[in-house]
Amino acid sequence: MEPEAMTFVAAKVSLLVLFALVLQQAVLADLRVSGVRPDVMLLVAVAAGMAGRSERGAVVGFVAGLLADLFSPTPLGLAALTFSVVGYVVGSIQTGIIRSVWWIPVLTALVASVVAVVLYALVAAMIGRAQYVNLQLLFTAGGVAVVNAALALPAVRALRWGLGSSEVYAR
Amino acid sequence: MAVYRRSARPRFTLVLLVLTALTLLTLDERTGGTGVIGAVRDGARDAFAPVQDAAESVFRPVEDFFQSALHYGDLEAENARLREQLAERRAALLRAEDADRERRALLAQQDLEFAGDIPAVSARVVSASISNFELVMEIDRGTDHGVAAGMPVVTGSGLVGRVTDTSRTRSTVLLITDPTSSVGVRVAESGDVGVAVGRGPRSSLRVDLIEPETKLQKGDVLVTSGLDQSVFPPQIPVGTVVASGAAVGALQQDLTLEPVVDLDRLSFVKVLQWSPRP
């Protein structure tokens, strides 16, 4: 991609990520879905994987995760690591399938979110925060996944706009 | 050749990102809240505070409208119940004032502080649970207002937790229900001391080190012990006994405590400007 087009894509995606951050930290600061706090930054990472290729998914995941870490009392880099891996994996399995059935993005968001939350807790346990892994983890994963699945379609559309829709067909 | 290069690049990017994230993680663990990472975090939170406040003032009326529309009946009932409670408490307060005067005199004699006299900073709860994994909340006062890490946080009824991290305008409070939180407690009647440990959201606290022989009933109040080097000042109510008892031959009681404060519905708290004696 030419440099000017790259900058334009970066600007659009940055705007989206910033919007998600404001949503997550300010607008939805007190929202709880059956006791679970939604994770819109994860949605951005998963949607980026669906709308772009694996590389775009990894980069956007990293940035979204890093911002999420910055405003969270949890270890810095944990979400950056998890979201970039999840964004990459979603990106590599999604190429080409995305337009076939309308509910594929919803299902992908659901599954990817559960995997991401569990992976997050497992990595945290490996670096000394073993208390993250408990029964509550299942509820957290479920709550986050349901909200992300509900918002999957608009999120993918937004990320497709941000990343440039030609990415969907490129390999 | 070109195909090989193109398919390898995403993987290369991922490896680079993962390594960067691992580096950040290591740095964060090493510096533990101070250093560059701590400064960036604090800066980010301070920079974001005005955005948070603005969004709050825009969306709170909408949120309140929906809440009140959906829960009007509940609110009426709760209002009546609270008025009744208030009347009862007022009566109890009058009875307790005498006893309190005597207690203060005795404590002053022994040169001990108690929560009533400690300077405090009132704060509003910005976000009741920032993370799904750590039981912390964020309040809208920071170092600019005299809040420092380690200070206890209370409400009128009892202990909420303690400040773990501060930036200029925001502070993070670790709740007593977090598994990493432990509070030195004392049984009011017998003077037995123990440690109350958190067990997760909406769970009661587990109290360790209370002797099996100590008689406790459901509803008994445990307060902070305020022993030497304790993180919390003495006499702050922590919780009420839910279940007690000991198996034969056990070294300690099986004691669970329900926090006095409703940690799920906090709006305003007070930070006690208190630090342990050196």
Side-chain angles (χ1 to χ4, degrees), chain A residues 3-158:
Chain A
E4 299 86 19
M6 279 269 270
T7 325
F8 189 48
V9 165
K12 285 193 287 182
V13 173
S14 305
L15 205 66
L16 285 172
V17 171
L18 226 63
F19 176 72
L21 185 68
V22 173
L23 215 64
Q24 175 76 12
Q25 290 300 131
V27 177
L28 303 177
D30 270 328
L31 182 71
R32 221 84 62 223
V33 175
S34 351
V36 174
R37 179 106 197 273
D39 198 338
V40 177
M41 304 309 280
L42 174 59
L43 177 63
V44 170
V46 171
M50 286 195 264
R53 292 168 303 177
S54 46
E55 190 180 7
R56 296 295 159 97
V59 174
V60 177
F62 182 85
V63 174
L66 193 61
L67 285 173
D69 279 332
L70 213 55
F71 287 89
S72 190
T74 47
L76 186 85
L78 193 55
L81 176 65
T82 320
F83 292 11
S84 93
V85 169
V86 171
Y88 179 86
V89 172
V90 170
S92 54
I93 64 173
Q94 269 289 295
T95 324
I97 321 176
I98 191 116
R99 286 188 195 260
S100 54
V101 190
W102 70 266
W103 48 260
I104 294 252
V106 178
L107 187 65
T108 313
L110 192 78
V111 174
S113 298
V114 172
V115 170
V117 173
V118 173
L119 183 66
Y120 182 90
L122 289 175
V123 177
M126 288 201 285
I127 59 168
R129 310 266 178 138
Q131 74 268 22
Y132 284 24
V133 183
N134 52 30
L135 198 60
Q136 176 71 15
L137 177 63
L138 297 172
F139 291 101
T140 305
V144 170
V146 165
V147 174
N148 284 357
L151 299 172
L153 292 170
V156 172
R157 189 162 306 176

Side-chain angles (χ1 to χ4, degrees), chain B residues 9-10 22 24 27 37-38 63 69 84 86-87 94 97 107 138 145 147 160 181 199 220-221 238 243 246 250 270 273:
Chain B
R9 214 184 84 152
L22 285 172
L24 288 171
L27 256 169
I37 294 193
E63 201 183 311
E84 204 181 297
L86 186 60
L94 288 171
E97 266 171 357
L107 284 171
E138 197 173 26
H145 312 97
V147 176
V160 170
S181 158
R199 287 195 299 188
D220 282 348
V221 176
V238 177
K270 281 200 296 187
Q273 290 172 306

Side-chain angles (χ1 to χ4, degrees), chain A residues 58 84 88, chain B residues 9-22:
Chain A
S84 93
Y88 179 86
Chain B
R9 214 184 84 152
R11 219 168 300 163
F12 174 72
T13 310
L14 178 70
V15 169
L16 195 65
L17 291 172
V18 168
L19 286 175
T20 312
L22 285 172

